[in-house]
Amino acid sequence: YYQHFPGADVWGPMHWRHAVSADLIHWADQGIVLAPDHNGYIFSGSAVVDVDNTSGLGDGDEPPVIAAFTHHHEPGPGRPTSTQSQSLAYSLDGGWAWRKYDGNPVIVSDRVDFRDPKVIDMAGTGWSARWLMVLAAGDRIELLRSDDLIRWVEAGAFVPDRYYGFDLFECPDLLRFCDRWFMLFSADIKADEPRPFGMNGTYAVPGRFVTAGFEAQGPAQCLDVGPDFYAAQTYHGYRGSDGEYLMQGWMNNWVYAGTHPSAGTRGLLSAPRLIGPDADDRLRQRLPWAHRPTERFDSGDEPLVMSSTPSTAFDVVLEGQFTLTIDAAPARPEADSALTVKANGSGMRLTRSVPSMPTLSRAFSMERAYDQPVRLLVDHGSIEVLTDDGLSVMTALVFPGPDWSLAVRGSGSIMIIS
């Protein structure tokens, strides 16, 4: 389920739309499932399977699926600013058809930035209630507890150190790996503060529960050093073969979200990624499907060139030094945008050039271990780069137009996805 405005490719009255997949690569649209009502637009949230029917909303045949989401009211008569509250919807057929809870909203506030409820099942953790909600609340993340998903009580907060320079929190999440916990969140960075990671994005902080809520036990880790990975969330109940969560993010940046040139695709989602910790409490990511090469290559001086269409993607694994370029097809010389990824023995540099829109032209760098392969997923309008066994990740939008080509100098293999 994802936040969606069906009327245009810019921000508008938000709905929830539904898609399903059997392989996490190909997705089938199922249409709108939640639409705005008298309580407001349908903003971000989460969904859980209420296995024990703690909510009492089940019918006895199948556990209800409960969605918690933000109702957003725009300014209007008697309301000088927008307001946000939290509401519920439930499904009795496994998540296909939905009904809004009659008692909405279940959490009321007059605050403007009070949104994105993520509900976590705390069964077996020894926590004080069955359900925990983490909720973005301006410059902090609030914790709430409940035993029935309907009545919620405040349970403290997470207030990061000002060193991070974070300004506004969005889309929090909380991950558990045995006795280790990580708070995930996306954040804007104050323009007048030091920028430890260069720009806004999605971050993770290891921590523990304390009387006042949640306390950091280590530094923040930027989960993606590229320009276009934000508002990442994990799936309820899905764990990978090594216990990882499945995470997916919004590929965009608030600096240019409604103005970049990919009209019709201004709300792309990243590929799903499995995410889990190493022994040093650093989160690593990997794609959830195996790389099955269509062909292997060693390009030498002549690059491997492959043409694409909007229905084709490339899963590429490269070793050693390489250069990968995405550009408009030769038949479209008027397209003025391109993207290049270059890797040497110690680092990697992604350079995006869009002369007609300078805010999109920028270079991004990250370290890499020379003996580690680099995996690149090149889809229509995007590139996702993973290396150092998933510790270093970089995501960027690409704007070459509908027909484009991929050129690679280096050694590796390629898997064509269509």
Side-chain angles (χ1 to χ4, degrees):
Y1 307 99
Y2 58 96
Q3 191 186 78
H4 171 68
F5 175 42
D9 62 2
V10 293
W11 192 93
M14 289 296 160
H15 299 55
W16 269 24
R17 201 173 183 103
H18 185 198
V20 297
S21 176
D23 59 8
L24 299 175
I25 299 175
H26 304 89
W27 293 81
D29 176 45
Q30 305 299 313
I32 300 293
V33 292
L34 293 176
D37 56 26
H38 66 282
N39 283 316
Y41 301 165
I42 313 296
F43 270 26
S44 296
S46 58
V48 295
V49 181
D50 185 10
V51 176
D52 298 321
N53 195 24
T54 63
S55 64
L57 297 174
D59 60 4
D61 296 327
E62 187 172 353
V65 183
I66 309 295
F69 61 90
T70 296
H71 257 130
H72 171 88
H73 249 314
E74 285 286 273
R79 190 172 54 250
T81 61
S82 59
T83 58
Q84 297 178 337
S85 56
Q86 316 314 314
S87 294
L88 302 177
Y90 61 100
S91 170
L92 301 179
D93 62 358
W96 295 92
W98 288 85
R99 309 174 192 175
K100 291 172 185 167
Y101 177 59
D102 289 339
N104 283 338
V106 296
I107 303 173
V108 180
S109 175
D110 58 1
R111 284 183 288 182
V112 176
D113 298 313
F114 183 66
R115 55 178 174 267
D116 311 332
K118 180 61 184 277
V119 177
I120 295 99
D121 189 348
M122 300 295 283
T125 68
W127 202 59
S128 58
R130 173 62 184 271
W131 302 99
L132 165 66
M133 178 188 291
V134 287
L135 188 64
D139 64 351
R140 65 191 59 214
I141 295 168
E142 292 194 352
L143 280 63
L144 298 95
R145 56 183 173 84
S146 175
D147 285 317
D148 61 9
L149 290 165
I150 296 172
R151 290 170 285 271
W152 293 89
V153 178
E154 292 183 2
F158 170 57
V159 185
D161 191 290
R162 282 186 56 80
Y163 158 77
Y164 300 131
F166 296 133
D167 184 17
L168 177 68
F169 291 97
E170 295 189 285
C171 298
D173 202 343
L174 192 62
L175 311 186
R176 178 195 180 201
F177 301 95
C178 297
D179 60 346
R180 289 186 286 176
W181 293 88
F182 292 82
M183 183 73 76
L184 268 62
F185 54 87
S186 290
D188 290 332
I189 298 177
K190 290 179 181 290
D192 58 348
E193 293 276 355
R195 296 189 173 208
F197 304 114
M199 63 190 311
N200 56 359
T202 298
Y203 305 90
V205 176
R208 62 175 181 172
F209 290 101
V210 295
T211 302
F214 189 84
E215 178 183 73
Q217 289 184 299
Q221 175 186 348
C222 183
L223 296 184
D224 193 301
V225 298
D228 298 305
F229 189 80
Y230 194 79
Q233 289 283 281
T234 61
Y235 283 77
H236 168 82
Y238 188 107
R239 303 299 283 266
S241 58
D242 294 327
E244 307 111 312
Y245 283 79
L246 187 69
M247 177 182 72
Q248 201 163 10
W250 180 58
M251 290 196 291
N252 219 329
N253 191 301
W254 284 123
V255 174
Y256 45 72
T259 59
H260 69 64
S262 289
T265 56
R266 290 202 178 111
L268 298 176
L269 294 178
S270 74
R273 305 171 187 172
L274 291 168
I275 180 170
D278 61 16
D280 297 319
D281 275 351
R282 299 174 302 181
L283 292 173
R284 298 178 182 268
Q285 302 171 57
R286 63 184 176 96
L287 296 178
W289 62 83
H291 176 76
R292 298 184 176 90
T294 305
E295 66 174 283
R296 300 183 186 277
F297 58 88
D298 188 344
S299 66
D301 293 332
E302 291 296 322
L304 171 71
V305 179
M306 305 195 74
S307 297
S308 183
T309 67
S311 62
T312 305
F314 301 105
D315 182 346
V316 187
V317 172
L318 295 169
E319 301 170 353
Q321 299 188 54
F322 66 82
T323 300
L324 181 147
T325 300
I326 303 166
D327 211 339
R332 296 186 64 254
E334 73 280 3
D336 68 347
S337 60
L339 183 141
T340 300
V341 180
K342 290 186 177 182
N344 56 30
S346 61
M348 193 176 321
R349 186 175 180 87
L350 183 152
T351 304
R352 183 171 63 193
S353 173
V354 190
S356 64
M357 196 171 179
T359 56
L360 295 171
S361 298
R362 190 170 172 183
F364 302 87
S365 300
M366 66 181 182
E367 296 180 356
R368 67 171 291 230
Y370 188 72
D371 60 351
Q372 291 288 332
V374 180
R375 193 169 181 185
L376 306 97
L377 180 64
V378 184
D379 202 351
H380 177 62
S382 66
I383 184 169
E384 300 173 63
V385 184
L386 299 90
T387 189
D388 289 345
D389 196 24
L391 184 62
S392 300
V393 185
M394 185 160 46
T395 300
L397 295 176
V398 191
F399 311 101
D403 300 310
W404 48 277
S405 63
L406 176 70
V408 184
R409 281 188 173 90
S411 300
S413 59
I414 190 165
M415 172 183 172
I416 300 174
I417 300 171
S418 60

